[in-house]
Every structure is written in C-alpha cells, then in structure tokens.
Amino acid sequence: MASSSTTSASSETLIPGLSDDISTQILLSLPLPHQLRLRPTCRRWSRLLSPPTSFPLRRALRLPSIPLLCIFPSDPSIIPPFLFDPFSLCWRTLPHLPCSPFFYNLTHFNPVYLSPFLYLIGGSLFDTRSYPLGQPSPSGAVYRLDLSALGNPHSLNWERIEDMNSPRGSFACAITGNDEIVVAGGGSRHSVFPSHGSRISSVERYDVTSGKWTNLERLPSYRAGCAGFIRIGAQEDEFWVMGGYGDYTTLSGVVPADVYYKDAVVLGLKSGMWKEVGDMWLEGERVRMGPLAVAEGSDGKADAVFMLDNNEVFRYDFACNAWLKETSLKKKIADNESCGFAAMNGDLFVLTSVLKSDGSDFRRPYKRRPTLEVQVYSTYKKKWKLFIAHPPMYQPIDFKSTILCTIQI
C-alpha cells in the first residue's frame, strides 16, 4: 500500500523526485522553442508551458527574460517572419501577414513588441489601384500578433487594428513607459526607388488601452528614414529622433540626392514640446547616420545607443552630443555587403548572410539552406565571439530590406 501511494504521488509531480516549485523553475528556464516542443509530454507540462500561463508566471517568479530576435526577411505577406533565440540557436516561424489583392511588396515598416503583442506598423508598398502605376505609397495599416498564443498555431493570427492618422514608412518608433507607442516622421520611400518618396513631419501616439491614435506636436521639420528611442531625462521621459533625411537637392540639376540630417530632436513626453540637439558629427566625418541599436535597461528605456558605421561601432555620448568609437568588427564586412544590427541583453549582434541572392525568382528554392554569420560583442566584457546559424528557409536573406526587432519575453 505504501508503495502504491508513493508511486501515485510521484506521478502527480511535474518531475519525479522534485518539488513542483523547483520543477516549475527548471521548466520555465528552458529556451522558449524547447518549452513549446515539450508541451505534448503530459497534460501538466502542457498547461504549465503554454504561453498564457508561462509568460506571467515567469514575471511572478522574477526569472530572467527570454531575449528573442524577430527577423522579417521580406514582405511578411509573402515570406513569414521568424523568431530566433541566439543563445540556444532555435527558430520559430510566425504566420504570414494577411494578403491583399491590391497591395504588395511591403517594406520600411516598424515592428515593436509590447507584451504580449508584436505590432507591425505602417510601411511603404505598391498599390495596384494607384496612378501612375509603380509609384510607392505609404501605409497607415497597423497589425498585432498575440505571442501568448504561440503554443496554439490555430489561434496565432495577425489582427488588424486602428490605422494611423497619417500613413508612413521609414519612420521613428518607440514604446513609452505608459505602454504607448509613439511614431514620428516618415514618408513613402521604398527600397525599389531609393531616391524617391514623400516626407512628413506628423507625430502620433497610440494608446494600447483605448486603441486610439492621437496627434502630438509636429516635428520641427520634415524628416524620414530616422530612428527613435525613449530615454529618461532630468525632468521627464524623452522621445529622441535621430538622423534621417529631409530636403533634397539635385546632382547636375538632374539626379535627386537626399540632404541628410546630422542632428537629433527630442520630444518631452510630459511637456509635449520639441527641442533641437546640435550636430552629432563634424562636416566630412560621415555622410549620414548608420544603423542604430538601442541597449535597453530593465525599465525598457535606452541605457546606451550604438551605431554601426562601416566596420566600426560607435557609442553615443549624451553629455557631449558626439559618437565615440567603441570597437571594430572582429570580421570585416565588404563595402557592398549589407548586415543586420541589433542589441539584446547588453550584447550587440551583427548578422550577415553567407549565401547571397543572385536576383532570381524568390519563389524558386535554393538547393541548400542559407547560413547566417553572427558576430556578438559584449558591451560589458568588451569581447567578440562568432557563430553561425541556419534559418528555417531556403532563400538567402538580404539585409538591405530585412527588418529586425528585439523581443523580451
């Protein structure tokens, strides 16, 4: 009798021989893709490891957040985005964006994560109903994906919510401390026509609770192709908008050329007023600002801001309004080669594709899977490491059009 009672008691525990408290911490500490694979083990594991249960339980137990990189290789209605865990080298495919018979080739959108939703905002695309044909148009559409449904593929679908008041692509975007999304600037610039497109100065804020967009004070001038982040200021939280382009000139009176900004503008989220920051580099030092990676603290605000300029990484010094050299890439990247740049958990990630595109039809699969070469720089240890990863797709990733988004679950 004692033997049977002991057996039944052990069968009711999550892991035989361990208490449920310890077993819970062990299972929830596994990488997210492994958690989803282990759900069919038994009913108790399925309930515990389902994202609607595990996500809030991880926060309650104060377990370290799971950093993931969301990669959008191309138009998400054609090629699905992926979740990538760079620490366990695991991948998870997300669903396609809903297709439309009128819109195609979406690019220059902004994905942001505000638990538990992944938002996809705006962008530039082609509209078959527009005239003249072949001219890009800005998009005001906003979609969200509930990542708490990761364990149930049938309910994991993009949901369209209220559009922005002003359609835009290539714009600055950030999450505020009040669970609001702020967007600024943008236009209709498309990767197919890199020297054309409109520019706007409007600024909007999305309230997640009410689901409404409201207009804020406009930018001091038209600005597109810019980057944005939230920083804690002395008096209030600030929304920083850096770089980008505004006006344009012509070369020999024929070829249009952008006039790039060397400065930044800052919006006080409490006062609602903009202030201008002077030039961040001297004349001739660089033509335009490179891709940015924002290292966020535990509060989600900018802890440090880094820029990749050719093969060198710079850190922005807020005190002297200048970019100071941090390090150089361990493995150099050719001038004509594109790369992805992101920050997670105090590390900087530089991604390059080993298998290059030859310009053929994207619907024709390659014979072998592409390889990503990842360089990781620890901002604390000041050291580099390299590794390779294989995405779950058979098309090369072109980082000229690829969009990256960091997620903390």
Side-chain angles (χ1 to χ4, degrees):
M1 295 291 294
S3 172
S4 63
S5 63
T6 304
T7 303
S8 63
S10 63
S11 64
E12 294 176 358
T13 60
L14 288 169
I15 300 178
L18 295 178
S19 66
D20 280 355
D21 292 340
I22 297 177
S23 301
T24 298
Q25 297 215 23
I26 292 174
L27 293 175
L28 293 183
S29 298
L30 296 172
L32 180 61
H34 293 342
Q35 293 183 25
L36 299 177
R37 292 193 188 101
L38 289 174
R39 287 192 62 199
T41 303
C42 64
R43 291 183 179 179
R44 292 200 66 189
W45 283 29
S46 179
R47 289 194 297 267
L48 174 66
L49 298 178
S50 64
T53 302
S54 62
F55 286 3
L57 191 54
R58 285 184 58 87
R59 291 191 290 268
L61 295 175
R62 296 183 178 180
L63 294 176
S65 59
I66 301 176
L68 301 173
L69 188 63
C70 189
I71 303 177
F72 293 82
S74 182
D75 182 347
S77 65
I78 304 297
I79 300 178
F82 303 94
L83 289 180
F84 174 49
D85 187 342
F87 301 99
S88 63
L89 300 184
C90 294
W91 297 83
R92 174 79 177 190
T93 305
L94 297 179
H96 292 82
L97 200 69
C99 290
S100 169
F102 306 111
F103 307 123
Y104 64 96
N105 207 350
L106 177 65
T107 185
H108 290 167
F109 52 86
N110 254 325
V112 293
Y113 177 73
L114 183 56
S115 181
F117 295 103
L118 173 64
Y119 291 84
L120 192 150
I121 306 173
S124 179
L125 45 73
F126 292 99
D127 189 345
T128 58
R129 302 165 298 179
S130 65
Y131 183 82
L133 295 175
Q135 290 295 322
S137 302
S139 171
V142 182
Y143 298 87
R144 69 179 184 183
L145 181 69
D146 188 357
L147 293 185
S148 65
L150 274 174
N152 186 3
H154 299 290
S155 59
L156 187 65
N157 295 301
W158 290 94
E159 172 194 6
R160 184 162 182 175
I161 56 178
E162 181 174 317
D163 291 3
M164 291 183 289
N165 297 328
S166 299
R168 69 188 77 215
S170 303
F171 56 95
C173 182
I175 302 290
T176 71
N178 297 324
D179 290 343
E180 295 175 329
I181 302 174
V182 183
V183 298
S188 62
R189 173 69 54 89
H190 197 280
S191 57
V192 175
F193 300 104
S195 60
H196 294 78
S198 61
R199 300 143 173 86
I200 62 175
S201 62
S202 69
V203 182
E204 300 178 46
R205 177 172 52 198
Y206 178 72
D207 190 313
V208 176
T209 304
S210 64
K212 299 293 183 182
W213 289 93
T214 56
N215 293 322
L216 302 179
E217 182 70 20
R218 288 179 171 268
L219 287 164
S221 59
Y222 295 113
R223 190 181 292 250
C226 45
F229 57 87
I230 301 294
R231 181 174 182 262
I232 299 177
Q235 305 294 332
E236 57 184 341
D237 287 357
E238 300 172 338
F239 176 44
W240 283 63
V241 178
M242 283 185 166
Y245 51 87
D247 200 1
Y248 68 92
T249 184
T250 57
L251 301 177
S252 302
V254 178
V255 182
D258 293 318
V259 176
Y260 291 97
Y261 288 111
K262 299 185 292 182
D263 65 344
V265 290
V266 182
L267 172 66
L269 294 179
K270 185 177 179 181
S271 64
M273 301 299 294
W274 287 95
K275 64 179 180 181
E276 299 185 17
V277 180
D279 292 348
M280 298 178 288
W281 60 82
L282 301 176
E283 189 69 32
E285 189 174 351
R286 61 176 55 89
V287 177
R288 57 178 176 177
M289 189 177 69
L292 294 189
V294 180
E296 298 179 345
S298 57
D299 56 358
K301 310 295 175 53
D303 188 40
V305 181
F306 299 90
M307 176 180 64
L308 180 62
D309 189 8
N310 293 325
N311 287 299
E312 296 181 335
V313 178
F314 294 84
R315 181 195 292 259
Y316 181 69
D317 190 320
F318 288 92
C320 62
N321 185 33
W323 291 97
L324 307 179
K325 184 177 177 180
E326 173 77 11
T327 183
S328 298
L329 295 185
K330 187 175 183 66
K331 186 173 182 180
K332 305 303 181 184
I333 300 175
D335 294 338
N336 59 349
E337 186 177 357
S338 59
C339 66
F341 189 47
M344 287 191 299
N345 275 20
D347 295 334
L348 300 179
F349 291 78
V350 180
L351 296 84
T352 54
S353 181
V354 176
L355 179 60
K356 305 298 188 302
S357 174
D358 60 359
S360 60
D361 189 352
F362 66 86
R363 292 168 293 186
R364 182 179 302 168
Y366 280 62
K367 293 182 179 180
R368 60 188 179 93
R369 290 171 58 183
T371 299
L372 289 184
E373 199 169 62
V374 184
Q375 303 184 56
V376 184
Y377 174 74
S378 173
T379 58
Y380 304 116
K381 299 179 180 179
K382 309 295 182 182
K383 292 183 179 180
W384 285 94
K385 64 179 180 180
L386 285 78
F387 64 88
I388 61 174
H390 300 280
M393 57 185 296
Y394 287 89
Q395 298 295 333
I397 297 179
D398 184 4
F399 283 100
K400 291 181 180 179
S401 57
T402 298
I403 298 177
L404 304 179
C405 172
T406 56
I407 293 176
Q408 297 281 347
I409 293 180

